[in-house]
Amino acid sequence: MTVRAKKHLGQHFLNDENIAQDIANTLTLKKYQTVLEIGPGMGVLTKYLLKKPVTTYVIEIDTESVEYLQANYLVLASRIIEKDFLKYDLNTVFKGTPFAVIGNFPYNISTQIVFKVLEMRDQIPEFSGMFQKEVAQRICSKEGNKVYGILSVLVQAFYDAEYLFTVPPSVFSPPPKVDSGVLRLIRKEDYALPCDERLFFKVVKTAFQQRRKTIRNSLKTFNLSDNLKANVIFGKRPEQLSVHEFISLTQLIESNI
């Protein structure tokens, strides 16, 4: 039995064993004993995860893939979660314990996967896997780069992000139209922000909604005092601000509200 790749689920099955092994090897196995793979398909990556000294769970929405995994990976059968990662309460399974997240992520929901990981950052010390190349580059990009944006700042506020390697379309079935990129995020030692975290998210998202404007203009809706807006940081554009500067900006706004 083979599983049909379904377009509506954004499935592109990896069929290169070496790359699957390389992705599994991105895990450092530090600070967790459990790994969750998103969208295992026919288990090309799963088989290498099962060799690691951690407990592997998989979450899969495709019933055909679930049947395949149950038939071919008996050791995994009790740890297959047949749910939608974006909608499922993972603590039904993990009960507040730490776990790493890994996968060959469907392009159409990869950004939403990252946002859910950020929401659960207290429990997820590590996250690695394969994205559309430009999304992986955006997540890992630094200030001053034209692809630097909301995702870059929010992820790097809490995690050290590293772009690891590029994967060509030819190793997938069906092949996607673009290259893929593998990255790894390792949570920072001290990842509590020295500012109001909800305000930080709001400042970053609002600033990048009008990325060509200066911070002074893009944050007009905050109704900040003229005195505050005279600060040199307000004359910059969002893509010029480092993560640290966005934290400083949030602290300034906090003191002004």
Side-chain angles (χ1 to χ4, degrees):
M1 171 195 175
T2 56
V3 179
R4 231 173 4 95
K6 295 162 196 69
K7 200 171 179 181
H8 73 282
L9 293 177
Q11 288 174 330
H12 294 277
F13 294 132
L14 179 65
N15 52 31
D16 185 303
E17 297 289 334
N18 291 328
I19 291 172
Q21 193 166 10
D22 288 346
I23 295 171
N25 289 342
T26 61
L27 293 174
T28 66
L29 310 179
K30 292 173 184 168
K31 299 186 178 174
Y32 55 88
Q33 277 84 48
T34 310
V35 173
L36 175 66
E37 182 189 357
I38 299 173
M42 287 183 281
V44 64
L45 171 59
T46 318
K47 73 162 80 76
Y48 294 105
L49 296 175
L50 290 170
K51 293 176 182 175
K52 303 278 183 192
V54 285
T55 305
T56 298
Y57 284 80
V58 299
I59 187 161
E60 177 59 76
I61 199 172
D62 178 23
T63 49
E64 207 181 356
S65 290
V66 169
E67 285 169 21
Y68 180 92
L69 293 167
Q70 284 170 337
N72 292 278
Y73 293 88
L74 299 177
V75 67
L76 188 70
S78 64
R79 299 195 303 275
I80 299 170
I81 306 165
E82 195 174 349
K83 298 285 181 185
D84 179 340
F85 173 80
L86 296 176
K87 295 176 182 169
Y88 183 60
D89 177 4
L90 293 167
N91 277 318
T92 309
V93 173
F94 297 113
K95 318 280 188 208
T97 58
F99 61 97
V101 172
I102 194 168
N104 168 21
F105 307 119
Y107 289 167
N108 54 347
I109 60 162
S110 63
T111 302
Q112 292 160 274
I113 288 171
V114 173
F115 278 115
K116 179 154 181 179
V117 166
L118 286 178
E119 280 170 25
M120 297 191 73
R121 58 188 175 272
D122 289 341
Q123 257 175 286
I124 302 176
E126 194 166 284
F127 171 88
S128 65
M130 186 147 50
F131 290 81
Q132 187 173 332
K133 183 183 177 182
E134 64 173 44
V135 176
Q137 287 176 323
R138 189 181 309 144
I139 290 168
C140 300
S141 134
K142 296 293 182 195
E143 71 275 11
N145 194 310
K146 68 175 189 293
V147 299
Y148 180 74
I150 294 172
L151 214 49
S152 329
V153 178
L154 297 183
V155 168
Q156 292 174 46
F158 307 104
Y159 290 86
D160 291 319
E162 189 181 359
Y163 185 95
L164 300 174
F165 55 92
T166 301
V167 180
S170 57
V171 299
F172 295 94
S173 177
K177 293 185 170 66
V178 293
D179 283 345
S180 299
V182 174
L183 59 74
R184 176 175 56 217
L185 309 180
I186 296 177
R187 193 178 61 201
K188 294 181 176 183
E189 282 294 322
D190 180 12
Y191 63 96
L193 299 188
C195 63
D196 181 310
E197 290 184 357
R198 288 181 69 171
L199 181 62
F200 175 75
F201 274 71
K202 189 180 175 188
V203 166
V204 173
K205 288 178 177 178
T206 308
F208 278 105
Q209 274 165 4
Q210 296 174 299
R211 62 181 298 137
R212 302 203 182 289
K213 294 190 173 182
T214 61
I215 298 292
R216 189 176 292 116
N217 289 321
S218 62
L219 297 187
K220 267 187 173 159
T221 53
F222 284 73
N223 295 320
L224 302 168
S225 71
D226 290 339
N227 192 31
L228 181 70
K229 286 187 290 189
N231 188 299
V232 66
I233 202 167
F234 284 88
K236 293 186 175 185
R237 291 194 310 278
E239 66 194 47
Q240 294 175 298
L241 265 60
S242 66
V243 173
H244 183 71
E245 285 175 304
F246 266 109
I247 291 169
S248 301
L249 175 64
T250 306
Q251 289 170 329
L252 284 170
I253 292 170
E254 225 176 324
S255 64
N256 194 247
I257 291 174

